């Protein structure tokens, strides 16, 4: 028991105080689901939970992998071209990109069902959107949870024809990313579901592909082909197909002559039918055999997921169930399952679970029969296994391990040894499990590495550098849409961030050198942190001030949005750096870092580069008043011509040229870049009249002779 607790504690500490990726496995009933639930509740990290199927995701309190990462459902080819094609198909919003960057831990539940190529897709997406191509999953800690001896990934024949050219097997551990950097293997080996040592030994032999003659004989003793379900029974039939389970349940229901009650689920918002945890219209009768499909959230715990009982009575909207060996009947309450979406809180950059929809229904389903697939994760006191159809070894193990005792198990058809074959690749992968003492040593080392990683991240400005570079490229591609100050402003900001990142890199090397000393001087380390923080705080303040005074203006709504949002991200990231540095410069610790990070609130950001809302009133023009009049005319013309982009009327650069060089004739106006024949014809005279009138009132002369000649 002490060793079992040791593995649980190790997994918990690797999750919470290291950045190590872990494969957490264990036999059925060893507490993996409990671990995940507690991890979600207790971790201070920004966490997201995903699973390969909708039902698995709902049960894990997460979302599907395909929806979270916006993955296509076609096979993925793990080549450079395949990765480029994948990224080109993913249209990720700014907020979704931000979510990917803020994520500190990803949990993938039911990893046994995840195909190798899907995991490589996840890796490619994270590397790209986290701006970290060098590290697996973009440097993100990943917890893989599941039992490889249970249900395998689903791969169609035509899909495997493609994938087999790149993968040894479809299992996740043969993905390219796992081959590059394998997660630490931790196994929970204390079984809470079964207590009978002979039965546990039998199940272990099936898992290890080493079924002995004695165990085969023991399993054969449960073969009872003529077994008839007793009238009053606590057995559940496990079948391989939905149709058979539905037929058995329907037949048993018809045998009960009492009244049928219908209970309709309350479905709110977005909740896909494929993810329903049970029937949307639940039909029950008194004396019907039912199974609870969730754990009791009230105290005392009266039922658990998989507990079987009989409907004792139904009163209006109240259902009462009596379970064998229970003194009292259970009044069943509604259960609500939620369909969530992960979003980023724009106020504090915290990842939040937003409810998209909910499904409320009694947590019951008919329990004379259920498919083996739906039984994964459940526990039964008595089970009848109908194995007349051939099925995989994973299904065999799932079916057998659902039952608490060997005595509670009945086989309607014999299970032959060849049906119990376990893929040798799984057995081989299981050999990578390190002993307890190695795990303990690894933990101590990883804690130090994690603390160093957190400290170094404070003085890392790579993310801001990537973001400002993307703005630079945006302005370069759309130069005519932006005003003349845009390029110089963003070039100066890029240079400032680049210089700060360069200095930050050198300081990070210093920190690493200090931290790796055998007898590290904590006081000296703190002094260096304080000195560096003082320097960077001054530089950050300068950049924040510069950003707030951004002179950038564009007449394109789309470009304005992209620019403004990208600049907002840079501003908020720098502001967060400042807030964290102010909090740790006198007293650094990992706890203080997370405290500052979680209490940070994004500052107000009032910059808007769109011409209509821009604070730029033409101060950079030789004639600001004329510039403002030209902007107003452009706005009025856009309304007349129903143009959703000012650029279609006249570019901001053209407005600046007009206000600076003062064209007074139609010939002059034609020299202004942006005025083609069509625009001259439509509204050239209106712009010309405005300029002529302004020059007359202010006694100004044209400066067109000073205007550089530019090819149109």
């Amino acid at each position: 028991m002490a060793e079992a607790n040791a593995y649980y504690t190790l997994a918990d500490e690797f999750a919470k105080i290291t950045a190590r990726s872990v494969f957490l496995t264990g036999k059925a009933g060893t507490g993996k689901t409990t671990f995940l639930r507690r991890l979600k509740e207790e971790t201070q990290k920004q966490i997201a939970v995903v699973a390969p199927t909708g039902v698995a995701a709902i049960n894990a309190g997460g979302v599907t992998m395909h929806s979270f990462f916006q993955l296509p459902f076609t096979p993925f080819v793990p080549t450079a071209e395949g990765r480029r094609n994948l990224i080109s198909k993913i249209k990720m919003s700014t907020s979704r990109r931000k979510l990917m960057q803020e994520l500190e831990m990803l949990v993938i539940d039911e990893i046994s069902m995840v195909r190798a190529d899907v995991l490589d897709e996840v890796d490619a997406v994270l590397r790209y959107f986290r701006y970290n191509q060098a590290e697996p999953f973009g440097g993100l800690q990943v917890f893989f949870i599941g039992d490889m001896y249970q249900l395998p990934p689903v791969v169609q024949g035509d899909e495997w024809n493609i994938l087999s050219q790149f993968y040894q097997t479809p299992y996740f551990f043969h993905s390219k990313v796992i081959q590059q950097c394998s997660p630490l293997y931790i196994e929970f080996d204390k079984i809470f579901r079964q207590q009978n040592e002979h039965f546990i030994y039998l199940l272990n032999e099936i898992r290890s592909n080493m079924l002995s003659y004695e165990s085969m004989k023991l399993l054969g003793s449960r073969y009872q082909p003529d077994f008839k379900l007793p009238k009053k029974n606590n057995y559940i039939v496990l079948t391989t197909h939905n149709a058979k389970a539905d037929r058995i349940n329907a037949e048993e229901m018809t045998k009960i002559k009492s009244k049928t009650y219908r209970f309709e689920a309350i479905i709110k918002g977005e909740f896909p039918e494929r993810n329903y945890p049970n029937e949307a219209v639940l039909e029950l009768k008194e004396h019907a055999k039912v199974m609870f499909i969730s754990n009791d959230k009230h105290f005392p715990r009266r039922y658990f997921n998989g507990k079987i009982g009989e409907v004792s009575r139904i009163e209006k909207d109240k259902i009462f169930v009596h379970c064998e060996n229970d003194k009292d009947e259970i009044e069943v309450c509604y259960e609500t399952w939620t369909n969530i979406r992960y979003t980023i809180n724009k106020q504090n950059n915290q990842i939040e679970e937003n409810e998209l929809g909910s499904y409320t229904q009694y947590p019951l389903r008919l329990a004379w029969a259920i498919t083996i697939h739906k039984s994964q994760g459940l526990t039964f006191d008595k089970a009848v296994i109908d194995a007349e159809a051939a099925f995989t070894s994973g299904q065999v193990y799932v079916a057998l391990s659902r039952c608490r005792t060997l005595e509670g198990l009945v086989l309607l058809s014999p299970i032959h040894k060849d049906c119990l074959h376990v893929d040798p690749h799984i057995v081989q992968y299981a050999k990578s499990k390190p002993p307890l003492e190695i795990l303990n040593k690894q933990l101590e080392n990883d804690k130090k590495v994690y603390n160093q990683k957190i400290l170094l991240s404070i003085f890392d400005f790579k993310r801001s550098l990537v973001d400002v570079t993307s703005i630079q490229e945006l302005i370069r591609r759309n130069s005519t849409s932006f005003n003349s100050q845009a390029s110089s402003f963003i070039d100066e900001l890029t240079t400032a961030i680049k210089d700060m990142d360069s200095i930050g890199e050198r300081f990070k090397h210093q920190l690493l050198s200090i931290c790796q000393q055998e007898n590290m001087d904590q006081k000296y380390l703190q002094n260096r942190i304080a000195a560096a923080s003082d320097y960077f705080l001054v530089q950050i303040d300068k950049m924040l001030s510069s950003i707030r005074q951004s002179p950038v203006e564009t007449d394109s709504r789309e470009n304005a949005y992209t620019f403004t949002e990208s600049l907002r991200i840079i501003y908020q990231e720098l502001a967060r750096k400042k807030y964290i540095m102010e909090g740790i410069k006198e007293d650094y610790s990992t706890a203080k870092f997370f405290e500052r990070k979680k209490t940070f609130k994004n500052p107000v950001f009032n910059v808007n580069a769109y011409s209509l809302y821009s604070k730029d009133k033409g101060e950079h023009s030789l004639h600001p008043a004329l510039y403002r009049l030209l902007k107003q005319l452009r706005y009025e013309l856009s309304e007349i011509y129903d143009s959703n982009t000012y650029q279609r009327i006249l570019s901001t650069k053209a407005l600046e040229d007009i206000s600076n060089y003062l064209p007074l004739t139609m010939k002059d106006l034609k020299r202004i870049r942006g005025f083609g024949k069509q625009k001259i014809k439509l509204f050239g005279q209106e712009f010309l009249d405005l300029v002529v009138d302004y020059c007359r009132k202010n006694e100004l002369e044209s400066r067109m002779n000073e205007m550089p000649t530019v090819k149109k």
Side-chain angles (χ1 to χ4, degrees), residues 300-435:
R301 310 291 188 203
R302 301 162 300 164
Y303 57 87
F304 54 84
N305 193 1
K307 186 171 185 175
I308 292 175
E310 182 180 285
V311 177
S312 52
R313 56 194 173 101
I314 300 176
E315 298 178 358
K316 294 184 180 179
D317 287 333
K318 292 184 178 181
I319 303 173
F320 296 87
V321 173
H322 185 263
C323 302
E324 191 177 34
N325 300 323
D326 285 359
K327 180 180 178 182
D328 301 317
E329 61 185 2
I330 300 168
E331 181 181 347
V332 186
C333 300
Y334 278 111
E335 180 81 14
T336 296
W337 292 263
T338 56
N339 181 31
I340 68 165
R341 175 188 295 153
Y342 289 105
T343 59
I344 195 81
N345 186 313
K346 291 185 177 181
Q347 296 300 312
N348 57 15
N349 296 333
Q350 294 296 301
I351 295 174
E352 297 179 341
E353 294 181 2
N354 282 1
E355 186 176 307
L356 299 179
S358 64
Y359 180 96
T360 302
Q361 179 62 285
Y362 288 105
L364 298 170
R365 69 158 44 110
L366 295 178
W368 287 282
I370 189 176
T371 63
I372 294 168
H373 192 280
K374 289 179 180 176
S375 75
Q376 186 161 347
L378 303 181
T379 304
F380 309 120
D381 291 314
K382 296 178 180 179
V384 177
I385 299 178
D386 179 10
E388 69 175 0
F391 54 104
T392 68
S393 58
Q395 283 182 303
V396 172
Y397 177 73
V398 170
L400 295 176
S401 61
R402 297 310 91 195
C403 206
R404 291 185 186 275
T405 65
L406 182 67
E407 292 73 25
L409 186 67
V410 175
L411 303 177
L412 293 184
S413 55
I415 296 178
H416 301 290
K417 196 169 183 177
D418 55 355
C419 293
L420 300 174
H421 175 74
V422 178
D423 194 318
H425 292 102
I426 295 175
V427 177
Q428 183 62 35
Y429 183 58
K431 292 180 181 177
S432 64
K433 173 187 174 182

Side-chain angles (χ1 to χ4, degrees), residues 83 257 373 490 571 605-606 631 639 660 676 692:
R83 285 186 284 273
K257 303 305 179 184
H373 192 280
I490 208 65
Y571 186 83
F605 185 77
N606 290 320
K631 281 179 65 178
E639 294 288 301
N660 284 329
V692 169

Side-chain angles (χ1 to χ4, degrees), residues 545-584:
S545 177
S546 174
I547 291 172
R548 286 194 296 270
Q549 299 172 49
S550 167
V552 177
E553 182 182 347
T554 176
D555 42 40
S556 164
R557 283 189 176 93
E558 183 180 355
N559 290 340
Y561 177 81
T562 304
F563 172 86
T564 303
E565 286 305 302
S566 298
L567 196 65
R568 182 195 307 275
I569 289 172
I570 295 171
Y571 186 83
Q572 292 174 346
E573 177 64 16
L574 291 174
R576 182 165 64 171
K577 290 280 187 187
K578 177 185 175 183
Y579 182 77
I580 291 172
M581 287 181 191
E582 288 173 339
I584 59 95

Side-chain angles (χ1 to χ4, degrees), residues 133-247:
Q133 293 288 346
E135 294 186 81
F137 303 106
L140 181 64
Q141 181 185 26
V142 184
F143 248 64
F144 309 90
I145 301 180
D147 184 3
M148 297 307 300
Y149 293 88
Q150 298 194 35
L151 300 179
V154 177
V155 188
Q156 304 300 329
D158 56 341
E159 293 175 329
W160 186 241
N161 289 337
I162 299 170
L163 296 176
S164 61
Q165 302 175 52
F166 304 96
Y167 298 104
Q168 189 176 0
T169 74
Y171 300 123
F172 90 98
F173 53 77
H174 279 147
S175 63
K176 301 299 181 185
V177 63
I178 298 300
Q179 294 294 302
Q180 178 186 346
C181 186
S182 185
L184 196 66
Y185 195 118
I186 296 179
E187 182 175 357
F188 291 171
D189 52 9
K190 171 62 179 177
I191 299 176
F192 299 99
R193 182 174 291 148
Q194 292 90 16
Q195 302 298 322
N196 184 283
E197 290 191 8
H198 292 295
F199 191 31
I200 292 174
Y201 190 77
L202 186 152
L203 293 174
N204 286 341
E205 285 193 339
I206 294 174
R207 280 175 62 91
S208 59
N209 206 23
M210 298 177 61
L211 193 67
S212 64
Y213 173 78
E214 290 77 15
S215 293
M216 195 69 201
K217 188 176 177 181
L218 190 63
L219 190 60
S221 69
R222 306 313 304 163
Y223 172 46
Q224 303 178 49
D226 300 323
F227 181 82
K228 302 293 182 186
L229 292 172
K231 195 169 183 179
K232 294 282 186 180
N233 73 86
N234 202 28
Y235 285 94
I236 186 168
V237 178
L238 303 182
T239 71
T240 55
H241 296 86
N242 278 310
K244 189 157 189 176
D246 293 341
R247 187 176 72 249

Side-chain angles (χ1 to χ4, degrees), residues 418-469:
D418 55 355
C419 293
L420 300 174
H421 175 74
V422 178
D423 194 318
H425 292 102
I426 295 175
V427 177
Q428 183 62 35
Y429 183 58
K431 292 180 181 177
S432 64
K433 173 187 174 182
L436 194 60
E437 58 270 21
I438 298 296
L439 288 173
N440 281 315
K441 288 181 182 178
Q442 188 69 57
L443 177 64
E444 290 307 307
N445 181 68
D446 285 351
K447 281 194 280 188
K448 294 177 184 176
V449 172
Y450 180 62
N451 289 332
Q452 292 169 13
K453 183 177 181 179
I454 295 295
L455 177 58
L456 297 180
S457 72
I458 299 171
F459 303 97
D460 190 302
F461 299 92
K462 286 286 188 295
R463 185 181 297 183
S464 296
L465 186 57
V466 171
D467 288 331
V468 77
T469 304

Side-chain angles (χ1 to χ4, degrees), residues 459-607:
F459 303 97
D460 190 302
F461 299 92
K462 286 286 188 295
R463 185 181 297 183
S464 296
L465 186 57
V466 171
D467 288 331
V468 77
T469 304
S470 70
I471 298 178
Q472 218 176 16
E473 178 62 19
L474 171 74
I475 294 174
R476 187 193 64 77
R477 291 196 314 268
N478 303 276
S479 58
T480 59
S481 169
F482 287 91
N483 62 350
S484 57
Q485 289 76 45
S487 290
S488 57
F489 167 77
I490 208 65
D491 287 348
E492 289 174 8
L493 182 61
T494 302
T495 299
I497 294 176
K498 196 176 289 183
D499 290 344
M500 192 163 62
D501 179 64
S502 179
I503 296 169
E505 283 298 306
R506 291 199 294 272
F507 180 62
K508 282 160 61 180
H509 285 299
Q510 290 183 30
L511 286 177
L512 199 57
S513 177
I514 296 169
C515 291
Q516 290 178 345
Q517 291 175 5
E518 189 171 342
N519 296 307
M520 185 183 68
D521 188 336
Q522 189 66 43
K523 187 176 180 181
Y524 177 68
L525 174 64
Q526 187 62 61
N527 288 338
R528 296 301 302 139
I529 293 172
S533 297
D534 285 337
Y535 169 79
F536 286 115
L537 286 171
V538 172
Q539 305 307 312
I540 291 173
D541 270 334
K542 289 179 182 177
M543 281 183 276
L544 293 176
S545 177
S546 174
I547 291 172
R548 286 194 296 270
Q549 299 172 49
S550 167
V552 177
E553 182 182 347
T554 176
D555 42 40
S556 164
R557 283 189 176 93
E558 183 180 355
N559 290 340
Y561 177 81
T562 304
F563 172 86
T564 303
E565 286 305 302
S566 298
L567 196 65
R568 182 195 307 275
I569 289 172
I570 295 171
Y571 186 83
Q572 292 174 346
E573 177 64 16
L574 291 174
R576 182 165 64 171
K577 290 280 187 187
K578 177 185 175 183
Y579 182 77
I580 291 172
M581 287 181 191
E582 288 173 339
I584 59 95
K585 72 173 188 174
E586 300 299 333
D587 181 24
Y588 170 75
S589 68
T590 303
K592 180 58 72 71
F593 167 83
F594 278 108
E595 178 194 328
R596 297 292 288 184
K597 192 175 179 183
K598 288 193 175 183
T599 55
F600 170 73
K601 302 293 182 186
N602 278 324
V604 176
F605 185 77
N606 290 320
V607 174

Side-chain angles (χ1 to χ4, degrees), residues 283-301:
E283 295 189 351
L284 295 176
K285 296 179 180 179
E286 292 182 352
H287 306 300
K289 190 163 94 174
V290 292
M291 176 180 70
F292 289 92
I293 59 169
S294 70
N295 296 320
D296 191 358
K297 294 180 174 59
H298 302 91
F299 188 83
R301 310 291 188 203

Side-chain angles (χ1 to χ4, degrees), residues 244-307:
K244 189 157 189 176
D246 293 341
R247 187 176 72 249
I248 293 173
N249 286 326
E251 289 173 353
E252 293 298 325
M253 275 285 281
T254 58
K255 295 177 182 178
I256 302 173
K257 303 305 179 184
S258 58
K259 178 183 176 181
T260 299
Y261 293 84
R262 293 166 56 90
F263 302 94
E264 294 188 15
I266 303 168
I267 303 168
K268 296 180 180 178
E270 185 182 326
F271 205 106
E273 186 175 352
R274 64 182 179 276
N275 296 346
Y276 290 176
N278 66 349
E279 299 295 330
V281 180
L282 183 63
E283 295 189 351
L284 295 176
K285 296 179 180 179
E286 292 182 352
H287 306 300
K289 190 163 94 174
V290 292
M291 176 180 70
F292 289 92
I293 59 169
S294 70
N295 296 320
D296 191 358
K297 294 180 174 59
H298 302 91
F299 188 83
R301 310 291 188 203
R302 301 162 300 164
Y303 57 87
F304 54 84
N305 193 1
K307 186 171 185 175

